[in-house]
């Protein structure tokens, strides 16, 4: 190919319009309606044609229009108002400042670094910030985008790290048969709110990483998200090999070989990018396992820079790592074959001074199983101090799934907690509803989206105003849907008759249900069609019309998901469905915004336990929509009978077909007997008073609870600030505490075989009553380990029919003396008798150290090995142990 020399052309804005550049290049405008109206005011048609991308739009406006705008006093006043609002937002005091001062006071430890410290680094493979930046595929990316926006609102010193995909996720269109097709239009980063990072002399900021023995060059771009900098990595450089340029081509594209290369760039490259930018965060947050190699790179760097052993460097870096898992099924976690890991990491493991089997063990459940693949989730769990699922139910499921990593630990004690997801309220509330809130909740309600007190004032909004506002949004949704449907039909070459019919689909006054999400089989997108006759009967009631809007993509390699879409397309072509059921193509943030702001009911039908959290249903809350959902994910925490409806009562099924049969009929019953009647129960004023009451309950109680302001605040209080304090403590004085803890752990592991539980005696006698205590005394052989280095506990609770303790709790025992001079000690404890019934206990020993993040941090635990201490054989065995000691 002939050599091409490139140059960049930027919009030529008149001096008076220069602030437009600042506004356009900061995603702050994406959640500020006054800023969006400013760009619309310049050219509404061009705004839509440019995909709501202000940078592209400014480059497409004619010079005549720009010059005219520069003389428009009203527009200039609008521009000044928005620019001042953005500056005030960027510079004003924030929630985190007060929190950090309250928690840390003046006692923060000086880490001694010359880099920019104090920051939190948030790593994610995708970020869903706005439809003009298609760098996301679905819920994980939208959650990451909302996380950054709320971090900006709250003033967290956070930086994001992600990948700048040249083609992003695919664009969806359906062929004549309804089968999903994919296209991959290239992103034009020079016409997006993305800025290439450059040195003072104008050269792009780049760095090198090693991938499978050869050099890959990466450059860095920045996206401004309010007060937050999001740094995006890009390998599409001419100096790279073709296969390396493809690393940042597609989100979730290619095979396992491409996936591991992407995750090397994200984790190892992401950390290198921060180093290159002279940013040294004090907390690192891995959003899903894609960035898990970050943990390894931090260890390697610490070993190199501070002359630490692997164990010491691990303690110095794991102390401030946060890991959030979003996947409740094993198949959803990235794993790589041992041969692939060897190709990419055999030399890397030598830099960590690890034997190859020890390296692979970090990603395995069973280190001895040479055939077990390497799991990114297992790696992240082992290299993090703070770990969480994204709803209470998902936390429980994650503890069950990962129980084998903490072998011998009861599942409910596995150190994985939960922080339930939320949504960025400002990004998802409609303009109409936002203005209504300002009138009745006060102008500052947006500054406190996680505080419940402003939302209590929703009760004061007159029913008529709330209902009319909601109806306007439904009408706009219907108008939007008709236009989108016509565009879809034109792309397929439909005739005039079909286009004319598209103008008449849906009824602006009818009960409107939305179902929009990724089309995966477990989400059961066709559950409503299981009993066709009954479904048709529901839709065909002219006095109480019902209509449904579907939207969503299937993964390009998910044929079963594509088949679900095809089935819906074929269903809705029938006359009984044609006007009342619509499927919108190419689901994105813009389509989602119209849906969540306009539907009356949000429908969610996953198989229980397979949706980690789900956030789409949260987006309807602030807009007055009600949820009708299986009790899964967040809805387990949000549901009550006066805010929405639950499909089932949280049952589990062994037979999926039977599950579908039962829950589809439950869904029909709810629609026929509760949802539809309540919507159409109108008084003389034509208002559905009971429905509006449910709307208000849902908006008041659930909106602040399921916002990312609450969520990010929880991360800050529970993970970020504690992680920051641990990092400061563990890196002070040349990593002194990291070195000491690593040495202590190594010593404990070496001597742990010496630990044995000897004779266990029940001291109490007679009948035990509720409120009493059972005294237990035992002898524990610790050998050379000091009693202060362990905790001995009574693990007790009610016993089931299989002899297992259910949801046990631990009661610490006290060392009351030594039994002899050979390392045998006597421990005494009391079990509180809180409930009647069959109870049981077991004795266990766990290492104890003040610097451990949790008591199961070492993974070591010793249980009393016998089920019944009164058994003669067990008794003689323990006597022998004691005599030997």
């Amino acid at each position: 190919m002939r050599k091409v020399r490139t140059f960049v052309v930027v919009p030529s804005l008149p001096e008076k319009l220069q602030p437009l550049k600042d506004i356009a290049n900061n995603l702050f405008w994406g959640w500020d309606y006054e800023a969006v109206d400013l760009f619309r005011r310049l050219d509404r048609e061009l705004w839509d044609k440019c995909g709501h991308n202000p940078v592209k739009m400014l480059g497409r406006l004619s010079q005549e229009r720009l010059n005219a705008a520069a003389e428009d006093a009203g527009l200039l006043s609008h521009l000044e108002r928005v620019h001042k609002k953005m500056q005030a937002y960027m510079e004003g005091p924030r929630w985190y400042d007060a929190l950090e001062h309250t928690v840390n006071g003046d006692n923060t430890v000086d880490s001694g670094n010359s880099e920019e410290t104090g920051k939190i680094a948030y790593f994610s493979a995708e970020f869903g910030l706005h439809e003009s930046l298609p760098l996301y595929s679905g819920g994980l990316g939208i959650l990451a985008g909302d996380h950054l926006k709320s971090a900006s609102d709250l003033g967290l010193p956070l930086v994001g790290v992600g990948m700048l995909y040249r083609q992003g996720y695919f664009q969806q269109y359906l062929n004549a048969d309804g089968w999903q097709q994919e296209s991959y239009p290239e992103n034009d980063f020079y016409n997006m709110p993305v800025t290439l990072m450059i040195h003072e002399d104008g050269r792009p900021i780049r760095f090198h990483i090693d991938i499978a023995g050869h050099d890959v060059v990466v450059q860095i771009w920045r996206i401004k998200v309010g007060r937050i900098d999001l740094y995006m990595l890009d390998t599409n450089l001419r100096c790279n090999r073709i296969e390396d340029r493809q690393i940042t081509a597609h989100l979730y594209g290619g095979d396992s070989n491409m996936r591991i290369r992407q995750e090397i760039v994200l984790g190892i490259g992401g950390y290198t990018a921060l180093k290159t930018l002279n940013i040294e965060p004090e907390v690192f947050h891995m959003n899903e396992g894609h960035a898990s190699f970050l943990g390894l790179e931090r260890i390697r760097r610490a070993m190199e820079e501070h002359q630490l052993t692997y164990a010491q460097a691990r303690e110095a870096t794991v102390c401030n790592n946060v890991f959030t898992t979003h996947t409740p099924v094993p198949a959803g976690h990235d794993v790589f074959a041992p041969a692939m890991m060897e190709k990419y990491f055999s030399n890397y493991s030598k830099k960590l001074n690890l034997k190859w089997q020890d390296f692979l063990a970090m990603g395995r459940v069973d280190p001895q199983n040479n055939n077990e693949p390497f799991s990114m989730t297992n790696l992240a769990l082992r290299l993090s101090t703070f770990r969480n699922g994204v709803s209470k139910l998902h936390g429980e499921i994650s503890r069950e799934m990962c129980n084998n990593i903490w072998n011998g630990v009861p599942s409910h004690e596995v150190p994985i907690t939960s922080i339930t997801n939320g949504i960025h309220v400002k990004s998802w509330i409609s303009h109409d509803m936002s203005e209504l809130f300002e009138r009745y909740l006060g102008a500052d309600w947006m500054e406190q989206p996680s505080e419940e007190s402003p939302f209590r004032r929703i009760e004061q909004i007159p029913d008529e105003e709330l209902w009319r506002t909601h109806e306007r949004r439904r009408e706009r949704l219907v108008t939007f849907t008709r236009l989108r449907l016509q565009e879809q039909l034109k792309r397929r070459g439909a005739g005039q008759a079909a286009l004319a019919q598209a103008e008449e689909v849906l009824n602006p006054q009818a009960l409107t249900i939305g179902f929009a999400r990724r089309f995966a089989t477990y989400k059961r997108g066709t559950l409503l069609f299981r009993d066709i006759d009954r479904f048709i009967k529901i839709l065909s009631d002219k006095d109480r019309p019902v209509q449904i809007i579907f939207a969503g993509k299937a993964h390009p390699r998910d044929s079963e998901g594509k088949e679900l879409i095809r089935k819906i397309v074929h269903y809705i072509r029938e006359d009984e469905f044609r006007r009342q059921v619509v499927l919108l193509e190419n689901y994105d943030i813009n389509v989602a915004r119209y849906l969540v702001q306009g539907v009356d009911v949000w429908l969610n039908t996953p198989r229980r336990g397979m949706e980690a959290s789900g956030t789409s249903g949260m987006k309807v809350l602030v807009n007055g929509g009600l949820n009708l959902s299986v009790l899964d994910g967040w809805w387990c925490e949000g549901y009550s009978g006066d805010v929405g409806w639950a499909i089932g009562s949280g049952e589990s099924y062994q037979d999926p077909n039977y599950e579908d049969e039962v829950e589809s009929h439950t869904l029909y019953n709810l629609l026929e007997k509760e949802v539809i009647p309540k919507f159409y129960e109108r008084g003389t004023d034509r208002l559905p008073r009971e429905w509006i009451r449910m709307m208000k309950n849902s908006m008041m109680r659930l909106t602040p609870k399921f916002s990312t302001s609450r969520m990010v605040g929880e991360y800050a209080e529970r993970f970020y600030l504690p992680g920051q304090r641990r990092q400061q403590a563990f890196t002070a004085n040349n990593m002194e505490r990291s070195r000491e803890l690593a040495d202590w752990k190594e010593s404990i592991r070496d001597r742990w075989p010496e630990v044995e539980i000897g004779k266990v005696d029940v001291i109490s006698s007679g009948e035990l009553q509720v409120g009493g205590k059972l005294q237990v005394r035992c002898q524990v052989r610790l050998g050379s380990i000091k009693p202060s280095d362990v905790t001995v506990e009574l693990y007790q609770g009610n016993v089931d029919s299989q002899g297992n303790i259910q949801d046990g709790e631990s009661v610490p025992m006290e060392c009351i003396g030594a039994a002899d001079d050979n390392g045998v000690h006597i421990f005494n404890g009391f079990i509180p008798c809180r409930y009647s019934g069959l109870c049981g206990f077991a004795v266990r020993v766990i290492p104890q150290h003040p610097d451990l993040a949790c008591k199961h941090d070492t993974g070591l635990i010793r249980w009393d090995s016998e089920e019944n201490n009164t058994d003669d054989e067990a008794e003689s065995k323990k006597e022998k142990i004691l005599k030997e000691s």
Side-chain angles (χ1 to χ4, degrees), residues 93-148:
R94 294 293 164 183
W95 170 87
Y96 186 81
D97 301 330
L99 174 70
E100 190 174 33
H101 178 75
T102 301
V103 174
N104 288 336
D106 297 323
N107 299 318
T108 52
V109 179
D110 182 5
S111 62
N113 292 324
S114 60
E115 296 94 341
E116 186 180 355
T117 60
K119 289 188 176 293
I120 302 140
Y122 183 87
F123 285 64
S124 183
E126 53 175 301
F127 287 91
L129 296 161
H130 190 263
E131 61 266 25
S132 62
L133 283 166
L135 304 171
Y136 62 96
S137 71
L140 177 70
I142 301 297
L143 183 281
D146 282 7
H147 193 113
L148 297 195

Side-chain angles (χ1 to χ4, degrees), residues 160-179:
V161 179
M163 306 269 277
L164 195 69
Y165 302 102
R166 192 165 70 252
Q167 295 176 316
Y169 205 53
F170 68 91
Q171 301 288 298
Q172 176 203 51
Y173 65 98
L174 306 179
N175 66 15
D177 187 44
W179 191 258

Side-chain angles (χ1 to χ4, degrees), residues 339-400:
M340 183 171 289
M341 289 299 298
E342 186 170 12
K343 174 183 175 181
Y344 287 99
F345 284 95
S346 58
N347 288 329
Y348 194 95
S349 66
K350 296 172 184 175
K351 297 175 184 177
L352 298 175
N353 291 330
L354 286 177
K355 296 178 181 176
W356 182 238
Q357 285 302 111
D358 292 337
F359 181 90
L360 289 179
M362 289 190 289
R364 288 173 167 170
V365 171
D366 181 4
Q368 307 306 317
N369 183 355
N370 292 329
N371 295 318
E372 183 181 343
F374 187 96
S375 164
M376 296 294 282
T377 296
N378 291 349
L379 177 65
L381 289 169
R382 287 196 169 100
L383 297 185
S384 298
T385 289
F386 308 94
R387 317 166 184 93
N388 71 287
V390 289
S391 69
K392 288 181 180 177
L393 178 61
H394 181 230
E396 295 172 12
I397 292 170
S398 297
R399 287 189 286 274
E400 290 282 352

Side-chain angles (χ1 to χ4, degrees), residues 327-584:
T327 311
V329 290
H333 298 268
D334 282 350
V335 296
F336 299 111
M340 183 171 289
M341 289 299 298
E342 186 170 12
K343 174 183 175 181
Y344 287 99
F345 284 95
S346 58
N347 288 329
Y348 194 95
S349 66
K350 296 172 184 175
K351 297 175 184 177
L352 298 175
N353 291 330
L354 286 177
K355 296 178 181 176
W356 182 238
Q357 285 302 111
D358 292 337
F359 181 90
L360 289 179
M362 289 190 289
R364 288 173 167 170
V365 171
D366 181 4
Q368 307 306 317
N369 183 355
N370 292 329
N371 295 318
E372 183 181 343
F374 187 96
S375 164
M376 296 294 282
T377 296
N378 291 349
L379 177 65
L381 289 169
R382 287 196 169 100
L383 297 185
S384 298
T385 289
F386 308 94
R387 317 166 184 93
N388 71 287
V390 289
S391 69
K392 288 181 180 177
L393 178 61
H394 181 230
E396 295 172 12
I397 292 170
S398 297
R399 287 189 286 274
E400 290 282 352
M401 282 177 56
C402 303
N403 195 195
N404 290 336
I405 292 180
W406 285 271
N407 191 28
V409 176
S411 60
H412 70 277
E413 289 189 354
V414 167
I416 301 174
T417 184
S418 64
I419 293 180
T420 302
N421 282 344
I423 59 107
H424 185 245
V425 175
K426 299 177 188 178
S427 292
W428 298 103
I429 188 173
S430 72
H431 196 177
D432 307 81
M433 196 64 74
S434 179
E435 288 181 339
L436 182 67
F437 279 16
E438 283 191 24
R439 285 203 300 275
Y440 289 95
L441 276 62
D444 64 342
W445 78 269
M446 280 282 218
E447 302 304 314
Q448 310 172 61
S450 64
E451 291 291 329
E452 294 183 8
S453 52
F455 287 90
R456 295 194 192 106
R457 300 178 208 140
I458 289 174
E459 192 66 60
Q460 301 168 14
I461 300 176
D463 289 356
E464 295 88 346
E465 284 196 63
L466 180 59
W467 187 244
R468 285 171 192 154
T469 300
H470 178 65
E471 285 197 307
R472 278 198 301 275
R473 292 311 311 182
R474 191 192 313 116
E475 290 164 4
R476 291 184 185 181
L477 170 60
V478 170
T479 301
F480 171 81
T481 302
R482 289 171 176 172
L483 291 172
R484 290 281 294 215
L485 189 57
Q486 285 181 306
E487 292 172 6
Q488 292 173 198
L489 293 170
K490 285 177 183 176
R491 281 197 299 269
R492 294 181 210 158
Q496 288 300 316
L499 293 174
Q501 281 185 339
E503 293 181 356
E504 299 176 357
V505 299
L506 305 182
N507 176 353
Q509 280 76 49
L511 171 63
T512 304
I513 299 172
F515 182 98
R517 52 193 31 84
R518 182 166 60 90
F519 270 93
T521 52
Y522 78 85
K523 293 179 183 284
R524 299 187 294 178
T526 56
L527 191 65
L528 268 172
F529 296 91
R530 189 170 178 87
D531 186 336
I532 291 290
D533 292 337
R534 193 169 178 186
F535 188 29
I536 290 173
K537 185 178 178 182
I538 290 171
L539 294 176
S540 60
D541 188 338
K542 294 181 180 179
D543 295 326
R544 302 191 304 180
V546 178
Q547 56 199 20
I548 300 173
I549 303 173
F550 287 93
K553 300 175 179 178
H555 189 279
R557 292 193 293 273
D558 184 2
S559 296
E560 292 181 331
K562 291 182 179 183
E563 179 61 23
L564 291 177
I565 296 173
R566 193 188 72 85
K567 283 182 178 179
I568 292 175
V569 170
H570 280 258
Y571 282 133
I572 63 181
R573 285 175 179 167
E574 300 298 324
D575 290 340
E576 296 89 346
F577 299 111
R578 191 182 298 273
R579 293 182 186 277
Q580 291 149 288
V581 184
V582 175
L583 189 147
L584 296 178

